[in-house]
Amino acid sequence: MRRFWTAACLVVGVVLMVVGYTASAPWGTESVAHSDPRFVFAPAVFVLGVVIAFSSALVYELLPEKRRH
Amino acid sequence: MQEITRRTFVKGTAAVGGAAAAGKFLFASSPSLAQAEAAALASPIEDFIATTCWVGKQDCGMIARRIDGRVVMFEGNPTNPRNVGTLCPKGHAQIQALYDPNRVKWPLIRTNEKGVTGEWRRASWDEALDLVAASVKEVRDRDPKLVLWQKGRSKAKGFYDEAFVKAIGSSKLGHGAYCSDAGYRGVEYTIGTHAVLHPDFKYCNYMLSWGWNITNAGGNKFCWLTWPRHMVAARDRGMKIAHLDPRLRSAGPFADTWLPIRPGTDLAMALALCQQLIAQGYLDRPYLTTYTNSPYLVKPDGMFAKVTEGAGEEATEIPLVWDEATGRAMKFGEAESPALEGTFELDGEVVKPAFQLFMDHVADYTPEWAAGITGLTAAQIRTVAHDFGDNARIGATMIVDGVEVPYRPVGIMAYHMSQQELGFQTIRAMTIVPMLVGAVGAAGGQLSDFTWKIYKNYDKFEHLKVEDPPYDFMLNKSKFYPMNTGSPSVVAQVMMDPDRYEVEKLPEVAILHMVNPLNSFPSRKEFLESYGKFKHVAVISPWMSETADYFADVVLPAATIEKYEGPISATDAYVDAVTLRIPPMEPLFESRGEIDIYLDLCERIGVLYGEDGYLSNVNDQLKLTDTAFALDLEAMPEVRDIFDRWAHAQGIDEGVAFFEDPAKGVYVKGPVSPTKIYGYATDPPFGGAVHRLYGDSLLDAQRQMKEKGAEEIYWRDYTALPEWRSLTMDSSPSEYEFYLISYHQIEHKQSRTSFIPLLAELSPGSKLDMNPQSAARLGIADGDTVTVESHNAVTGETRSLVTRAALGEGIRPDTVAMPHHFGGWTHPQNKDQGASANKVMFLGEGYTTNTADQSFHVKVKVTKGGEL
Amino acid sequence: MATQTERHSTLPQRVGQMNGAWRLFVIGALAVLGFGIYSFWQEATQGMVVTGMRDVGTMGGATWGLYITMVVYFIGVSFAGITVAALIRIFNLDHLKPIARTAELLTVVSLILGGLAIIVDLGNPMRGVVNLFKYARPQSPFFGTFSLVVAGYLFSSLVYLYLGGRRDAARLAKSPSRLQWFHRLWAAGYADTPEERDRHDRASFWLAIAIVPLLVVAHSTLGFVFGLQVGRPGWYGTLQAPAFVALAGVSGIGHILILAAIVRKVTATPHRIGEAIFAWLGKFLLGMLLVYLYFMVVELLTLVYATPETEKRLSDALLTGEFAWIYWGSVAALVISAVVLIWQAVVRRWSVTWLVAVGVLANLAAIGKRYLIVVPSQTHGTLLPYDTGSYSPSVVEFGVIAGLFALGALLIGLFFKAFPALPIEDESEEVIANA
Amino acid sequence: MKYGMVVDLDRCQGCRACMEACKVENNTAQGHFWMYVFRYEEGSFPETQINFLPRPCQHCDNAPCVKVCPVGARFSREDGVVLTDADRCIGCRYCELACPYGVNYFNWRKPEKGQYEIVDWSDPDLEPVTGGAIPPYRNPDLDGLHGEEQRRTGGGSQAKGVMEKCTFCVQRIEKGLQPACVTTCPTDALVFGDKTDASTPVGRYLAEKRTWRLLEEAGTEPSVFYVGSRPPTHRSKEIERPKASV
């Protein structure tokens, strides 16, 4: 379970990073507003991804042991 | 609504307290929301008014963009030939002058003594006008000439000024003696036109830009913008420019050749050019014999040999020439082939054609001689003479719009450089240069006025009358200045010491209209002393000038651009057009247009109505007299109605509304015909004037001056041919090693724009241009404060000012230069701008020229340091 | 001596003890911080006109000044802390463990200061925070600084610091004190079981592994902020990024040296932060210094031998003109530091005093060099005929920066008042004994 | 369709009318010159050269300022105009650093503080006429949103702490007018239009005359082309600087 949540956290973080990054940098679009991210707060998603990815370490260490309960 | 929004925003910003301010700072004080809402509520009304610029001399056409009646921008009027939709920096910046809360807002009456900074009380127009009218009336009843009316510059045709002067019968002073008037006198005398010199840019191939401040200031007659437009077009065709000026900055990149001539020595240069044109064989003999007095026979006493025709009142004197075909003297105009050279005998006297005398006269003025004086090389002078003569293509003709005219594509542009010690004769000699090659009035050649209308002075100067004292306080027809431009500084000197000038009556009341001698003219000292002597001084001006500050009893606030004025010529020299100044908004504060002020003032003085009254004179000036549009002489007119009548008299059916229409605004009459532009093609040619190579009336004036006991310093420059002599300033001690000249910057006009913040931003203040070479010798670095001390070579007086050094390689090492726009103190923006060059210039003997004009050069020494 | 009220004094390393000197320190730091806040308030209300910064070009100013200098400096300092911590974990450098937390804290604090220095440099600070999250563009070299350096780097450092401290927190949480709640919270149920130790070993190893490339990327990114600018003499260059990293190391290790000496003194633990630690830090600093000096020599040679005409004005200003005193002063400081370190390495005796002196010198030099990267390229680096400009920081800028330093000092001081600077030693520092 | 400008230095008189027209049209703060005209000198007496060089924003096709803007406040439109969104800008001034031409001006002060305060525009006697607008000639077009992107990009003095620069007078070109500097140039030294269309004046210049661009080597691909004279060098010395301080 611990490994699953840690991996999940890592994966979610990385996915968010990829999504956030690509959405922040809409290369290939030629619209007037091509300086804008594809959606507002995309950079926040990227940062969130970074944070979540690193949070996997927290999850890994802090997740309570089931058997103790 | 929009500006209300803005106000809300601005005020809001000022009013918000702590928490709200924090919010503002956190999220940037963007007005977007409030404004977007307001914009949705009401959209502002935008409209446009055609008017004319109120800053410069040439009154460029403008369109005022208004939002809900508030002017937000002036732009060039594309239909005006003079500026074709463009504007100079001053034209744009004047919007700040319009709204300037430092304008005189309402009539002011002085409450403290004169000669110091004024203290004022607000008055009603009635009270102020009554006060002025009473003092004018009192003096006028005794002697109208003791009322002195002075104006800096008439913006537009000065019909209402003239009408006032005529209705009152007052004396009149302008600013001309400080500007270009020696040039006007020189050209009026020599070829008869009321202007200085410009080339025919349409076809000119080689131009001497002689002291023309190409990229900064006017040139002949225009303010600035029009000539540069013509010049770049001419350069597109390939015209070359040789630029004579101690400073390169004037021409910027437009000088193909820069001839950094020493200040005040242009006469030597012109004489050497004449010598070289003759020596290199560049002479247009047909022009010289037909249209100039070159063939006139000159008697040993220097006067023309003449025969008298008719008797009594009808008698006219006809000059004689030597007819080579018949070998005898004949009347000018009747000889088949008048001689230009030779020595002949007439009635037992040895006579010579004027041209022979001229050749003899210039024979010694060689390039080598001139090189020593002008600081140029003999080779440079030879090259200029060659290029000028060669490009003149003597003998060629061309067809312009079906009219065949001689084609001499060389010319000179000269205007303000006439304000030097030998200015009058310098301009004479410079006019003779194109005369020698027949370029005057030719296609591509030397032009002067826009048409060949002969000015009244041309005939007047045929006989210069020197009268016995007492003289009037302007010294007209005096043994001091028989040719008199009307210099305010001369009046100042006379007022200080009337006995010396043999003057009995001094002016008692002054009406000073937009003129500021205390700051804008050299010699603040003299004006400080003399202008305090007026019993009453009324100032009409939108701003509290320095002169008003010290001397006005009453200040009447004039409007700036927001008034009717005109008519205003809109010609660009090739297309004829006329326009008006239309108020883009109501006069601000309690100010009023000048015409309104004069109408009211005249009514109170009692000279408004009836024959010879102000209204009658207005009719005369606007050529309305005896037309259906003449003003009723017994009724107070509306100002707009005056212009409506004038417009109708011009054949404009819409009347003044034509000019108020932003799509029109300018009445374009069409291209000026070549038969008006080119002197050869006018009828009669050159307006009937015979061009004066030789000035016998000048010699005659000299004789009269000597007879009346004038000193040599006054009569020595009244010579028949322009003659070089060493300059007064050159006898200053050698420690005064620099020539100081003053100049005009494109950002400013006279001293009346330096308080406009937008312009003061571009050109912030006074400076002393210096060559780094000289500066290094004196240990002066760029931006250092420097003390400039001038020396009067006649009186030994010294004057000094402090400014900042501006080092640049574009100036002669023996010359320093200063802009003349600064030195004011009444406007907050003027403070700390530093001194004007005028502060160290001199007037009087050696510095006031023989035509009562002001010379703008003096020897100075420069030292590092000083208190700004 | 052991009265009821002094119960807390039984916590190790003077955690929770507030003596006069400590109070004085806090009051002093608060006063400086207050002045910093006041300075910033002026800037926030009147606009940045109160700073010495002005527009580049016609205004003859520098639009980035002391603030950005300090951003680069602070972020540079942060480099060393987490690097040392990561190296300790990855290479199991157990003898360095006593300074690991100090190093980690230094990273966290200097990153916070770096972030704040960016904020105070913004014309619209709060809009900046919001808009960066809303619209930040990866195409801008700034993106790396913002997202990786400040967000990723700071967060990962915090995680590292946090996880590394759990064991000590759990121990402290056992003893009653005013800070017990804090220690309990931190411990978050840590029981120091072998599984937990294992897990922490594993987690911190991988974290360290993840952090090392992150910090290389992050510091290079900061170099790119300048190095990608073709239009500004003195900036464009491939050496910009590695030089940034090297100088970051120099300033950061210098700071650790200083902090280690202070911690050693304040916590009275010279036996634990011994000469070996200082020797290691000194050698590490020497290595970084030599690398940086190499970059600098290359830079200098390039400036002297192959200066394009456009860069001449700038290099003149740097080497012989108005910035020469900063340039040569910094070089002298770095060279002296290197000489001192080499000397100590040769004689194999590492004096704490000398090392602290070197740390201070190296940091002054780093600030000087950062300033020279930021400012002269603006005032002397225009490629059009603008006149030479000038920049000198205003009182407001000095005030804000002083406030930031005070804040940093306060954060470190407070943290170490609430939490031990050194890992609690199993035997001697067992706190339970007192209960 | 890409806007471009041609500056014909064979015609430029260095009069700085363009600078003033810009200031009045765009209400920029004191000391800000979106359009700036260099006057500079080379050589030594008497072999002196004086030249003029107007410097608007170069509206680069490969604009370094756009690249570095962290929040997309500085952006490039399809028509080649490079603009700043005053509602977006965070005031980091990175664009100013990145620009080799020195065209950016930051609002160091509050907008109402930058309008030539030596004159008291809030004078109560002016208010009936101006409605309290500061400056009194405040251009209302600047308060709106511009372009299909509908962003606040027109004019100066928008807000404290945001960056501004030449917009090619976006509020004018969308009305079919020329930029204020171009309209006013007394010698027609400034030409504006579609640089991709050979039939426009700009296109004709590009086709017929030899043109150069400022700092071509920087690779910024400016949309401002110069005709005549030659680029200034490092030896060019500026003269007659305006008072550009805040």
Side-chain angles (χ1 to χ4, degrees), chain D residues 44-235:
Chain D
S44 46
F45 180 87
E47 306 300 322
T48 319
Q49 282 276 325
I50 289 177
N51 281 293
F52 308 128
L53 184 100
R55 179 238 65 195
C57 170
Q58 305 290 304
H59 292 274
C60 306
D61 285 346
N62 185 23
C65 58
V66 171
K67 281 197 235 169
V68 301
C69 180
V71 294
R74 177 62 57 83
F75 64 104
S76 215
R77 294 206 309 197
E78 278 166 69
D79 60 8
V81 182
V82 177
L83 295 172
T84 320
D85 183 338
D87 288 341
R88 173 87 58 95
C89 175
I90 62 174
C92 73
R93 311 185 299 291
Y94 197 3
C95 47
E96 182 168 350
L97 261 294
C99 172
Y101 304 102
V103 306
N104 290 281
Y105 290 89
F106 184 69
N107 277 298
W108 300 100
R109 290 174 293 200
K110 294 190 224 174
E112 67 274 19
K113 289 270 175 194
Q115 292 299 330
Y116 304 86
E117 271 197 305
I118 194 144
V119 170
D120 178 16
W121 301 122
S122 59
D123 188 301
D125 297 312
L126 269 178
E127 179 143 349
V129 183
T130 64
I134 293 179
Y137 46 90
R138 171 75 190 173
N139 181 356
D141 297 353
L142 309 180
D143 299 332
L145 306 177
H146 301 282
E148 58 177 275
E149 66 279 6
Q150 282 296 294
R151 293 168 79 169
R152 180 172 308 284
T153 50
S157 302
Q158 290 284 356
K160 167 171 74 70
V162 302
M163 191 59 76
E164 292 170 349
K165 66 156 192 72
C166 159
T167 63
F168 270 164
C169 283
V170 62
Q171 72 279 9
R172 286 172 68 101
I173 54 179
E174 67 192 15
K175 282 198 247 175
L177 298 170
Q178 300 262 298
C181 56
V182 175
T183 303
T184 206
C185 179
T187 49
D188 307 331
L190 301 176
V191 183
F192 178 81
D194 184 358
K195 66 179 178 182
T196 60
D197 180 353
S199 70
T200 65
V202 168
R204 273 203 302 280
Y205 255 110
L206 295 183
E208 290 164 16
K209 299 246 189 175
R210 217 170 62 85
T211 58
W212 47 270
R213 294 184 289 185
L214 280 175
L215 309 180
E216 189 88 62
E217 64 281 5
T220 51
E221 300 291 328
S223 297
V224 177
F225 299 83
Y226 292 84
V227 174
S229 191
R230 58 193 158 70
T233 72
H234 61 284
R235 273 188 284 271

Side-chain angles (χ1 to χ4, degrees), chain B residues 220 350 363 431 468 480 485 612 808:
Chain B
N220 187 26
V350 177
T431 312
D468 285 320
F480 302 100
T485 279
D612 304 324

Side-chain angles (χ1 to χ4, degrees), chain B residues 7 32 70 92 105 761 809, chain D residues 31 41 116 127 136 152 184:
Chain B
R7 172 179 51 175
S32 53
R70 169 180 65 106
H92 281 287
K105 290 176 180 166
E761 182 179 31
E809 297 283 352
Chain D
E41 201 175 77
Y116 304 86
E127 179 143 349
R152 180 172 308 284
T184 206

Side-chain angles (χ1 to χ4, degrees), chain B residues 300-313:
Chain B
D301 67 355
M303 305 301 288
F304 291 135
K306 292 178 177 170
V307 292
T308 308
E309 246 180 24
E313 293 280 298

Side-chain angles (χ1 to χ4, degrees), chain B residues 16 61 85 109 146 197 253 256 314 376 520 534 547 607 774 811 813 823 842:
Chain B
V16 278
I109 292 176
L146 302 188
L197 301 171
D256 293 298
E314 304 283 292
L376 304 173
S520 338
F534 286 110
T547 312
V607 294
S774 323
I811 187 168
F842 293 104

Side-chain angles (χ1 to χ4, degrees), chain B residues 410-442:
Chain B
V410 293
I412 295 173
M413 173 66 95
Y415 198 61
H416 292 97
M417 56 81 65
S418 58
Q419 298 310 107
Q420 45 178 302
E421 187 180 350
L422 301 174
F424 170 76
Q425 292 288 21
T426 301
I427 294 292
R428 286 252 302 132
M430 282 166 54
T431 312
I432 291 170
V433 171
M435 279 168 67
L436 293 180
V437 299
V440 173

